[in-house]
Amino acid sequence: MNTLTRWVPRLIIITALLHFVWAFVQPNAWAAIAGDGFWRTVVDTEAGDYFAREASVWFLVSGVTLLAMGTLARHVIRTTGRLPAQLGWYLVVIGIPLCVFYFPVTGGWPVVAIGVLALLAARRPVRAGETVETVEA
């Protein structure tokens, strides 16, 4: 397993953690969401704080999604010794629309960069003599 293969899941997990932090540090609407009881608290598009509520929820959901992708990638690497190329494609496909729609200021650029790194890592063959680390069940 090469260094790039080991670092891609770490970078995805770090990005997920940054999403969690930003979901609660940015000007957010968690107090309003909790005050309204959570249920259907982001459906009123006419509400004055609609965009703050929506951003709060989407940063949290994106963090969970990235965390799932990163930990699953780590598991796949430990099991097979390789990073699947589709992980890189998923990240690129997620990041490009963010870059296009929110150009130039967006967090989509790091997602695209990590996706490209994942594609590069997936192209590298397992070297002769390398062993696959197995996960104890």
Side-chain angles (χ1 to χ4, degrees):
M1 171 179 354
N2 61 47
T3 303
L4 189 56
T5 300
R6 282 193 299 272
W7 268 97
V8 167
R10 293 174 186 167
L11 291 171
I12 296 169
I13 292 168
I14 289 167
T15 306
L17 296 175
L18 291 172
H19 269 80
F20 291 137
V21 168
W22 190 247
F24 294 100
V25 171
Q26 70 166 339
N28 61 61
W30 290 112
I33 290 170
D36 288 345
F38 294 102
W39 181 255
R40 295 181 45 85
T41 57
V42 188
V43 296
D44 183 8
T45 58
E46 301 299 320
D49 64 346
Y50 170 74
F51 292 107
R53 290 177 184 232
E54 187 176 51
S56 300
V57 171
W58 277 108
F59 271 104
L60 183 65
V61 169
S62 297
V64 171
T65 302
L66 288 165
L67 184 63
M69 292 172 79
T71 56
L72 184 59
R74 187 175 59 193
H75 172 72
V76 169
I77 291 168
R78 286 181 178 167
T79 304
T80 67
R82 297 189 56 103
L83 188 66
Q86 69 254 45
L87 175 68
W89 287 115
Y90 293 152
L91 292 168
V92 168
V93 169
I94 289 169
I96 285 179
L98 290 172
C99 294
V100 170
F101 298 141
Y102 292 106
F103 183 82
V105 181
T106 176
W109 297 108
V111 175
V112 171
I114 296 168
V116 170
L117 291 175
L119 288 170
L120 292 172
R123 291 188 62 195
R124 297 190 182 190
V126 177
R127 294 185 201 123
E130 284 185 331
T131 59
V132 177
E133 299 173 18
T134 56
V135 178
E136 296 292 325

